[in-house]
Amino acid sequence: MFFDDSLIQYHLKNKIQQSSAAGKYHLEQQMVICDGACRADMALFTGDETHGFAIKSDRDSLAHLGRQIEHLGRFFDRLTIVTGHHWGEVSARTPPWVGVLMATQDENGEFCWVRARAGGRSPHTDPRLASQVLWRSYLQERLTALQGQPPPASWCRARLADHLITLCGADGARREVLKFLHWRRTAPPISLTGWDVR
């Protein structure tokens, strides 16, 4: 079987939805991060962690794999490379904390998954990168709610995000990202000042 992007992406989305169905999560496809420097084919946000997935189909080159892992490993708590026939080379060229999920066929010729390597948490995660998805207006309202007064109007988005991380910590900032993505998908525009941040 030839494993192209669309086939892998279809089955990967189903797998993520099935394994995450019991808990609260948000799934984004084709998520651009690091100010456009990199893209995650799928991004899973839960209350506990963020998980990025990069697809390397049988048509794809692995020339930029190292740079992609560097960017994604700073943004996400966990990272999994999803591939087909490249799985051996991907496993050899990636550090142990990166998961490797292999698309293959079972004895009946049906599509199935094999976890070539479970991986672990990224040692390079930077909450400031994850906060890049937050809009400036969101940050202004959330900071106003947290500290009881608006932040200075002159503050740029990056400074607002840094202040949010200072107030909430890395785990709190992760929860803010999840809340924002859920809000953006379901019910904009609404006021965010009354949301619980604990």
Side-chain angles (χ1 to χ4, degrees):
M1 180 184 291
F2 181 84
F3 300 103
D4 63 13
D5 279 359
S6 59
L7 179 66
I8 292 177
Q9 188 157 318
Y10 170 80
H11 287 284
L12 177 62
K13 183 178 180 181
N14 287 342
K15 177 179 175 60
I16 292 172
Q17 290 175 331
Q18 290 168 7
S19 61
S20 306
K24 182 179 179 181
Y25 74 96
H26 175 79
L27 182 64
E28 289 246 338
Q29 298 187 68
Q30 305 299 319
M31 184 175 186
V32 177
I33 64 169
C34 299
D35 292 328
C38 192
R39 182 192 69 199
D41 293 294
M42 288 198 186
L44 176 65
F45 296 85
T46 70
D48 300 320
E49 62 183 13
T50 59
H51 195 152
F53 297 84
I55 295 172
K56 292 298 181 184
S57 76
D58 293 347
R59 294 184 188 275
D60 290 335
S61 165
L62 301 182
H64 303 296
L65 181 62
R67 186 175 64 183
Q68 192 173 20
I69 288 173
E70 179 183 352
H71 287 305
L72 295 174
R74 292 176 61 208
F75 188 94
F76 294 102
D77 298 315
R78 294 183 183 272
L79 172 62
T80 296
I81 307 299
V82 186
T83 189
H85 297 135
H86 287 314
W87 74 271
E89 188 177 358
V90 167
S91 297
R93 294 175 59 173
T94 53
W97 61 266
V98 176
V100 181
L101 186 62
M102 179 176 62
T104 187
Q105 294 173 286
D106 63 18
E107 61 274 11
N108 298 316
E110 299 295 326
F111 186 98
C112 67
W113 294 107
V114 173
R115 186 168 293 282
R117 186 168 66 212
R121 291 181 70 89
S122 168
H124 310 296
T125 306
D126 182 352
R128 287 173 175 80
L129 284 183
S131 70
Q132 286 182 355
V133 303
L134 302 175
W135 295 344
R136 187 170 184 272
S137 57
Y138 176 93
L139 287 163
Q140 289 172 322
E141 283 209 54
R142 295 304 294 130
L143 288 173
T144 299
L146 282 166
Q147 58 192 12
Q149 60 182 8
S154 61
W155 280 13
C156 65
R157 195 213 58 78
R159 186 168 183 183
L160 292 168
D162 283 348
H163 193 54
L164 180 71
I165 294 168
T166 299
L167 293 176
C168 296
D171 289 340
R174 181 184 295 108
R175 289 192 293 270
E176 289 292 343
V177 169
L178 178 62
K179 288 178 183 179
F180 170 77
L181 291 170
H182 177 73
W183 164 77
R184 190 181 68 181
R185 181 185 61 178
T186 57
I190 60 174
S191 173
L192 305 169
T193 52
W195 284 28
D196 183 10
V197 298
R198 293 174 294 173

